[in-house]
């Protein structure tokens, strides 16, 4: 069995995917990676257990945890063994160092507990894990590390095997494998042997296996590889100040996604989450037309680019749409299209804006139509609440926002050109209701032919169309001719027997059709 040390869950995952048989949860690695501290019993048992659990959850191969000296005497060892076994860890290693220990590889003094005391730790560990007969207990002797010699190592290994250890780890920091190989030649204990070839790195797996080692632990190479890679790439990144310089030398993002199980997460989302209920919604802003009424303001740019208090009408619309989570926005350009260039927007062109109506602009945006499409005239300003109501209003294939404050106008006021009046099935109900209806009202007629005094309200230039609704509009467009405006198409749809609805509002919007409107907009915003 060949294992490699891990210091966290992702390094353990890499140990698994590169083909090792088991993960070694290294105390050296955990102390360094999780706390940036020396490997000297500074991590508590529970901290090590927590790390081992995270690692165990991330891999399917067995996990062997380095439990140092078991964090105390035999009684501490009991709890350690019991907790690790209960957590589903495949095995632990307990060494005969005193508590607190220091890493075997550091220079200086290495104190060991007596053989008898260590045997007691092992018997205690076995007793504590009686209910986990497959739990692997590795007894590690530091006799060679402490300079006590081969005979002492053999004597201790024999005693630990007799105390119930399932395997013996013979640790050495000799520069050559000879020290541990000499042990194997003398070992008659019958139990499997474990080795950590850190200080004698030229010893191969084949050689160590052939000499009688059953488990070979490459304990800290993953940590050291990570440190080298992180140091190199970070210093390059710091120097150059641009991520691109290291992009080719670091794991591509999809590799990380795969390692942490994003594909599995997506499968689970599909299996267990309710399907997305809110339909996908896009928005189309119709801003192709040229209106001479606003000259000279519109000499160089269309109306939608008029600035009101430092922000164009278009920017205000984009901001509002994004604030209600409709980021998928298209703008249909025509007149002075070069002047309409906001970022993160899809553009469509109505090059024949001079000879066509608004219907042609809408049709030009067809590739942008979604399950639901909001359609906005490029010259209107409105409250966010209106947009929110439109988005949450009950299903309707063609839903126009209608302002019923129209009915408040003195009867003799002339109807501004281009006003699209709406007559609902309920009629004008002038002055009857003060609260807008939540329920969309069915529209009987739309357009300038409605006598002003009979109109239920005015279409404000904001609508919500379903895919079906847009198909009806498209069919109506074929019959309506190139100059059709939206009211013409909607009239065609109504005549074809399909429903068109109005969502009532009361004020909260304004339109910029004239220089006078423009002045009012400044005053109101
Ligand atoms: C570890 O990986 O924590 C070990 C092996 O105990 S060594 O660091 O070589 O002592
Ligand atoms: Mg260790």
């Amino acid at each position: 069995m060949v294992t490699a040390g891990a210091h966290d869950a992702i390094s353990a995952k890499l140990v698994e995917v590169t083909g090792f048989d088991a993960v070694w949860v290294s105390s050296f690695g955990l102390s360094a990676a999780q706390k940036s501290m020396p490997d000297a019993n500074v991590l508590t048992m529970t901290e090590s257990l927590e790390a081992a659990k995270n690692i165990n959850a991330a891999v399917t191969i067995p996990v062997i945890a380095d439990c140092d000296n078991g964090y105390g005497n035999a009684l501490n060892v009991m709890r350690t063994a019991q907790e690790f076994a209960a957590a589903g860890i495949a095995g632990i290693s307990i060494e005969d160092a005193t508590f607190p220990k220091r890493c075997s590889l550091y220079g200086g003094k290495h104190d060991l507990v007596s053989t008898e005391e260590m045997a007691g730790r092992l018997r205690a560990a076995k007793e504590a894990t009686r209910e986990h007969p497959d739990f692997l207990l590795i007894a590690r002797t530091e006799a060679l590390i402490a300079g006590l010699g081969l005979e002492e190592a053999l004597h201790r290994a024999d005693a630990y095997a007799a105390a119930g250890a399932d395997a013996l780890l013979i640790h050495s920091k000799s520069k050559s494998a000879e020290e541990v190989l000499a042990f194997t030649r003398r070992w008659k204990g019958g139990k499997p042997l474990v080795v950590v070839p850190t200080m004698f790195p030229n010893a191969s797996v084949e050689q160590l296996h052939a000499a009688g080692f059953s488990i070979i632990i490459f304990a800290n190479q993953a940590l050291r590889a990570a440190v080298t890679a992180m140091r190199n790439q970070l210093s390059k990144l710091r120097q150059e100040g641009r991520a691109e310089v290291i992009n080719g030398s670091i794991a591509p993002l999809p590799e990380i996604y795969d390692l942490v199980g994003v594909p599995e997460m997506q499968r689970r989302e599909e299996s267990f989450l309710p399907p997305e209920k809110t339909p996908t919604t896009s928005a189309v802003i119709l801003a192709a037309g040229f209106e001479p009424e606003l000259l000279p303001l519109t000499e160089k740019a269309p109306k939608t680019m008029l600035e009101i208090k430092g922000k164009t009408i278009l920017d205000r619309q984009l901001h509002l749409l994004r604030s209600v989570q409709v980021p998928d926005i298209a703008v249909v350009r025509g007149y002075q299209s070069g002047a309409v260039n906001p970022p993160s927007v899809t553009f469509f062109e109505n090059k024949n804006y001079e000879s066509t109506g608004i219907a042609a602009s809408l049709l030009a945006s067809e590739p942008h139509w979604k399950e639901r499409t909001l359609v906005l005239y490029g010259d209107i300003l409105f409250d966010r609440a209106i947009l929110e109501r439109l988005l949450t209003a009950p299903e309707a294939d063609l839903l126009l926002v209608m302002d019923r404050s129209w009915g408040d106008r003195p009867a003799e006021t002339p109807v501004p050109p281009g006003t699209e009046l709406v007559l609902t099935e309920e009629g004008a109900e002038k002055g009857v209701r003060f609260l807008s209806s939540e329920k969309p009202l069915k529209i009987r007629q739309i357009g300038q032919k409605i006598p002003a005094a009979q109109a239920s309200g005015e279409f404000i230039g904001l609508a919500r169309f379903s895919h079906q609704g847009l198909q009806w509009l498209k069919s109506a467009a074929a019959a309506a001719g190139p100059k059709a405006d939206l009211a013409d198409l909607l009239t065609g749809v109504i005549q074809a027997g399909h429903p068109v609805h109005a969502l009532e509002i009361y004020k909260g919007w304004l339109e910029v059709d004239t220089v006078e409107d423009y002045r009012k907009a400044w005053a109101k915003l």
Side-chain angles (χ1 to χ4, degrees):
M1 175 186 269
V2 185
T3 89
H7 47 274
D8 57 15
I10 192 92
S11 58
K13 191 85 191 187
L14 288 165
V15 167
E16 172 165 37
V17 301
T18 50
F20 287 90
D21 304 308
V23 178
W24 166 254
V25 183
S26 160
S27 69
F28 181 90
L30 288 189
S31 312
Q34 315 240 327
K35 301 285 173 192
S36 188
M37 281 184 172
D39 180 17
N41 269 142
V42 288
L43 252 67
T44 64
M45 186 276 277
T46 45
E47 284 171 336
S48 307
L49 176 63
E50 196 59 31
K53 281 181 180 172
N54 289 337
I55 284 171
N56 199 35
V59 298
T60 59
I61 54 175
V63 170
I64 301 170
D66 170 10
C67 285
D68 293 341
N69 38 26
Y71 310 100
N73 70 15
L75 302 189
N76 302 97
V77 170
M78 283 189 97
R79 175 157 182 244
T80 299
Q82 204 276 321
E83 294 279 357
F84 277 75
I89 309 297
I92 57 172
S93 162
I94 303 284
E95 67 201 43
D96 50 11
T98 51
F99 182 93
K101 63 145 229 182
R102 57 208 317 277
C103 172
S104 319
L105 309 178
Y106 298 164
K109 213 155 140 313
H110 290 276
D111 295 326
L112 306 193
V113 296
S114 69
T115 305
E116 194 185 13
E117 181 170 350
M118 177 63 179
R121 286 181 186 171
L122 296 168
R123 281 188 289 109
K126 270 291 153 194
E127 160 92 21
T129 55
R130 251 187 334 205
E131 285 169 17
H132 304 274
D134 295 333
F135 189 66
L136 180 75
L137 177 64
I138 299 175
R140 161 168 161 179
T141 181
E142 299 282 289
L144 300 177
I145 298 283
L148 302 180
L150 183 58
E151 296 306 324
E152 179 66 11
L154 282 162
H155 164 70
R156 283 181 175 254
D158 273 330
Y160 302 166
D166 300 306
L168 283 308
L169 194 167
I170 314 304
H171 207 12
S172 160
K173 57 177 176 178
S174 165
K175 296 254 159 34
S176 134
E178 187 42 39
E179 194 173 48
V180 293
L181 296 179
F183 181 97
T184 62
R185 287 194 291 270
R186 294 275 307 278
W187 171 246
K188 298 281 179 305
K191 295 225 166 136
L193 296 180
V194 185
V195 68
V196 183
T198 303
M199 304 307 267
F200 39 95
N202 63 346
S204 70
V205 165
E206 289 75 19
Q207 186 189 0
L208 294 166
H209 271 327
F213 285 106
S214 305
I215 302 179
I216 294 152
I217 301 174
F218 291 107
N220 50 36
Q221 285 74 12
L223 172 78
R224 290 154 63 195
V227 166
T228 300
M230 287 193 272
R231 185 190 294 276
N232 288 344
Q233 303 310 325
L234 285 170
S235 53
K236 227 184 272 175
L237 180 58
R238 184 67 185 101
Q239 264 162 31
E240 304 287 333
R242 203 155 39 90
E244 194 186 21
V245 296
I246 60 166
N247 239 19
S249 324
I250 59 179
L253 287 172
E255 188 177 332
I256 308 294
Y257 306 160
D258 278 351
L259 274 175
V260 304
V262 171
E264 174 63 7
M265 177 190 79
Q266 282 162 346
R267 191 198 63 75
R268 290 175 185 180
E269 282 174 345
E270 278 161 32
S271 299
F272 305 124
L273 300 187
E276 197 66 71
K277 270 202 244 57
T278 41
T280 51
T281 303
S282 65
V284 172
I285 298 172
L286 304 174
F290 166 59
E291 274 97 337
E293 294 83 1
L294 274 158
L295 279 172
L297 292 175
T298 51
E299 204 165 49
K300 297 216 169 63
K303 258 201 297 191
T304 198
M305 297 306 288
L306 281 181
E307 212 181 88
I308 300 169
K309 299 205 171 153
K311 228 172 158 189
T312 64
I313 300 176
L314 181 58
D315 275 342
R316 290 174 185 276
Q317 292 187 341
L318 294 175
H319 176 78
L320 267 188
L321 287 166
R322 288 171 182 145
S323 77
V324 295
Q325 319 290 328
V326 181
D328 191 10
I329 306 168
V331 175
V332 183
R333 304 185 291 197
Y335 172 67
Q336 295 287 17
S337 66
V340 185
N341 250 319
S344 310
V345 158
T346 307
F347 295 108
F348 295 96
E349 314 292 333
N350 177 6
K351 293 212 167 62
N352 305 320
Y353 65 90
E354 278 172 300
S355 57
T356 61
I358 219 161
S361 292
L362 177 62
L363 292 183
S365 71
E366 178 166 1
H368 204 74
W369 296 353
K370 294 283 148 56
E371 266 176 276
R372 296 197 317 188
T373 305
L374 299 179
V375 174
L376 292 74
Y377 290 175
D379 59 355
I380 56 165
L381 292 165
F382 48 87
D383 292 343
R384 182 190 153 114
I386 295 179
L387 202 50
E388 281 169 344
R389 277 193 58 209
L390 181 61
L391 282 168
T392 53
E395 270 325 303
D397 288 309
L398 295 165
L399 185 59
L400 314 183
V401 177
M402 176 188 84
D403 181 9
R404 54 180 296 271
S405 75
W406 176 262
D408 300 351
R409 296 160 51 94
E412 62 280 7
T413 329
V415 179
T419 304
E420 292 175 295
L421 295 176
V422 177
L423 179 64
T424 64
E425 297 285 356
E426 289 80 358
E429 295 191 38
K430 198 170 175 183
V432 175
R433 285 175 297 130
F434 295 94
L435 281 175
S436 303
S437 165
E438 280 308 316
K439 198 170 132 280
L441 306 169
K442 199 159 173 210
I443 294 177
R444 186 186 301 163
Q445 197 185 342
I446 174 160
Q448 295 168 29
K449 292 201 192 91
I450 301 169
Q454 280 171 33
S456 320
E458 176 186 4
F459 172 46
I460 74 163
L462 173 63
R464 191 191 79 191
F465 298 152
S466 72
H467 185 73
Q468 174 66 76
L470 283 160
Q471 297 312 310
W472 290 336
L473 288 173
K474 207 174 144 187
S475 307
K483 286 210 178 289
D485 58 22
L486 196 53
D488 295 328
L489 299 193
L490 290 161
T491 301
V493 169
I494 293 169
Q495 282 166 356
H498 303 302
V500 178
H501 287 91
L503 179 72
E504 280 189 312
I505 60 159
Y506 189 83
K507 297 189 175 169
W509 69 287
L510 56 93
E511 171 181 36
V512 182
D513 268 338
T514 60
V515 178
E516 179 59 23
D517 288 342
Y518 184 51
R519 243 188 250 117
K520 269 193 228 155
W522 270 86
K524 284 193 184 167
L525 276 177

